[in-house]
């Protein structure tokens, strides 16, 4: 009879543990699932510091953005502080980013690599749309990334579930 009580207690503990874990995981980051129209394209206008999530020709959401610390012109090589211009794909997701959450761009493409090699440098990589910097020195800076596109952490919570892998991102001067 004591083994039945122990078995019942163990089952109860297991159910409580599973429920607690499920609760914690479901609330992770405060992200809500996205059930709206598909984001078919992302448009970024560097000069205006604006990013638009599009469903075909309709704007679903718009965001004010921060760019690389040298925002004018196309990224030439790693470390130049420029945000790439052109069309790329969203090709990865990083829920453990140093910048809260991030989604990666397919930079560099073949042309980007050739351009950098022509000046004896690496094209670099790791270009993302991401949240805020954990470094307070960048809190009120207009353009502070190494070439990425930054939004607030709260905005990244909206963007992250909305944008699927394979989404085209077009970055204009």
């Amino acid at each position: 009879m004591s083994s039945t009580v122990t078995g019942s207690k163990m089952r109860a503990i297991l159910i409580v543990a599973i429920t607690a874990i499920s609760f914690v995981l479901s609330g992770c980051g405060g992200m809500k699932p996205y059930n709206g129209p598909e984001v078919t394209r992302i448009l970024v206008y560097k000069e205006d510091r604006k990013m638009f999530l599009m469903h075909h020709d309709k704007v679903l959401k718009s965001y004010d953005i921060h760019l690389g610390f040298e925002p004018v012109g196309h990224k030439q090589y790693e470390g130049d502080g420029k945000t790439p211009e052109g069309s790329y794909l969203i090709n990865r997701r990083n829920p453990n980013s140093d910048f809260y959450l991030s989604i990666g761009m397919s930079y560099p493409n073949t042309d980007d690599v050739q351009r950098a090699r022509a000046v004896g440098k690496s094209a670099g990589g790791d270009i993302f749309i991401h949240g805020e910097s954990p470094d307070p020195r960048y809190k009120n800076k207009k353009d502070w990334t190494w070439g990425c596109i930054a939004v607030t952490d709260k905005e990244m919570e909206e963007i992250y579930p909305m944008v699927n892998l394979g989404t085209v991102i077009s970055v204009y001067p």
Side-chain angles (χ1 to χ4, degrees):
M1 188 157 169
S2 65
S3 66
T4 306
V5 172
T6 304
S8 295
K9 285 183 181 178
M10 291 299 283
R11 276 192 292 280
I13 291 170
L14 185 59
I15 289 169
V16 168
I18 290 170
T19 303
I21 289 169
S22 297
F23 179 74
V24 168
L25 291 177
S26 70
C28 202
M31 257 190 296
K32 297 176 187 154
Y34 177 69
N35 297 316
E38 176 187 11
V39 174
T40 56
R41 185 177 197 96
I42 302 169
L43 302 176
V44 175
Y45 295 92
K46 289 171 52 174
E47 185 176 357
D48 297 332
R49 304 298 189 285
K50 287 296 229 183
M51 179 172 71
F52 299 92
L53 302 186
M54 307 294 294
H55 176 72
H56 302 293
D57 60 352
K58 181 182 177 204
V59 175
L60 296 174
K61 291 290 282 192
S62 67
Y63 301 92
D64 293 327
I65 58 172
H66 302 274
L67 301 169
F69 61 84
E70 293 290 340
V72 177
H74 178 61
K75 186 164 197 63
Q76 301 296 310
Y77 53 84
E78 184 175 29
D80 67 2
K82 295 182 182 295
T83 301
E85 295 172 358
S87 288
Y88 299 91
L89 296 175
I90 298 300
N91 66 352
R92 59 203 183 279
R93 303 168 73 73
N94 184 1
N96 301 310
S97 172
D98 289 342
F99 301 93
Y100 191 59
L101 295 167
S102 62
I103 53 176
M105 293 171 48
S106 61
Y107 175 89
N109 61 30
T110 306
D111 290 340
D112 297 322
V113 171
Q114 289 176 350
R115 188 178 302 107
R117 281 188 185 152
V119 294
K121 304 216 179 208
S122 167
D126 288 338
I127 301 296
F128 288 86
I129 299 170
H130 61 65
E132 300 167 55
S133 173
D135 188 331
R137 292 178 296 168
Y138 300 113
K139 188 71 174 164
N140 295 314
K141 293 217 176 202
K142 182 176 180 181
D143 295 311
W144 55 268
T145 76
W146 283 90
C148 294
I149 298 163
V151 294
T152 68
D153 290 351
K154 183 175 176 149
E155 290 168 334
M156 202 59 217
E157 283 182 11
E158 291 177 352
I159 295 165
Y160 195 85
M162 288 178 78
V163 177
N164 294 316
L165 296 179
T167 301
V168 174
I169 177 169
S170 296
V171 183
Y172 301 99

